[in-house]
Amino acid sequence: MAVCENPLISMFSNAYTDVLVDTWSAVWDDAEVEDVQVQGDDTKLYTNLVFAGVEATSQPIDASTMTNFHMDIWTPDATAVPAVFKIKLVDFGPDGEFGGGDDVDHELTFDATTTPALATGEWVSFDLPLADFTGLTTTGAIAQLILSGDPNTVYVDNVYFYRTGGA
């Protein structure tokens, strides 16, 4: 498992050193992803985003000392209600394997009325306390990030876990 003693574990960002992510679009998802540049910054562009599976299965992320999850998105698509964007984290549990009986997960849903609010044509930053993922009772082997929802074209940047406060 990828273990980090730093106050930040980056999955994707030009500003930090990234941990290993096996795929940004799993074979079982419905999305297309490509690496693009936005104003000189590396960015993931998802199209046909019904749901996308981001996997770090060969080296699950040990986020047990982290307090928050961060991700920035931008979409040209309509974001008025009933459009939603969902972020799901999946921890494979102590055995580090999918389906081992100890997997836990939780999904958060965002729309134009939530905080943060989905918005068309502007970057939206998600700074989410891991405690908000109430079903995610362990975070020592996070192996999947699943993105889904109605915006079908989504640019993604700065995906990381971080710790606020003391150690």
Side-chain angles (χ1 to χ4, degrees):
M1 282 191 253
V3 178
C4 183
E5 298 300 323
N6 295 323
L8 188 137
I9 302 170
S10 177
M11 294 177 71
F12 180 76
S13 177
N14 279 0
Y16 308 106
T17 301
D18 300 332
V19 296
L20 176 67
V21 173
D22 298 302
T23 183
W24 286 90
S25 182
V27 296
W28 45 263
D29 74 22
D30 281 342
E32 302 296 325
V33 67
E34 66 178 294
D35 293 323
V36 298
Q37 291 259 314
V38 175
Q39 297 179 340
D41 187 34
D42 295 327
T43 307
K44 301 287 183 189
L45 169 58
Y46 284 94
T47 53
N48 303 314
L49 179 66
V50 176
F51 66 96
V54 179
E55 294 190 310
T57 53
S58 63
Q59 293 182 22
I61 298 166
D62 182 354
S64 59
T65 62
M66 301 296 118
T67 58
N68 293 66
F69 175 77
H70 177 91
M71 179 171 54
D72 297 321
I73 70 163
W74 186 96
T75 183
D77 296 350
T79 54
V81 172
V84 296
F85 183 75
K86 298 177 183 181
I87 300 170
K88 182 177 186 176
L89 294 174
V90 182
D91 186 285
F92 282 4
D95 71 359
E97 299 290 328
F98 177 72
D102 55 0
D103 302 358
V104 294
D105 63 65
H106 193 88
E107 182 175 72
L108 298 177
T109 302
F110 301 91
D111 65 25
T113 68
T114 59
T115 302
L118 283 187
T120 301
E122 63 184 72
W123 284 99
V124 176
S125 290
F126 295 91
D127 281 296
L128 309 172
L130 289 175
D132 287 356
F133 293 86
T134 56
L136 193 69
T137 55
T138 59
T139 56
I142 295 179
Q144 291 178 336
L145 162 64
I146 301 172
L147 307 175
S148 62
D150 297 331
N152 296 122
T153 301
V154 177
Y155 292 81
V156 174
D157 197 8
N158 301 314
V159 182
Y160 54 84
F161 297 89
Y162 66 98
R163 182 174 60 233
T164 59

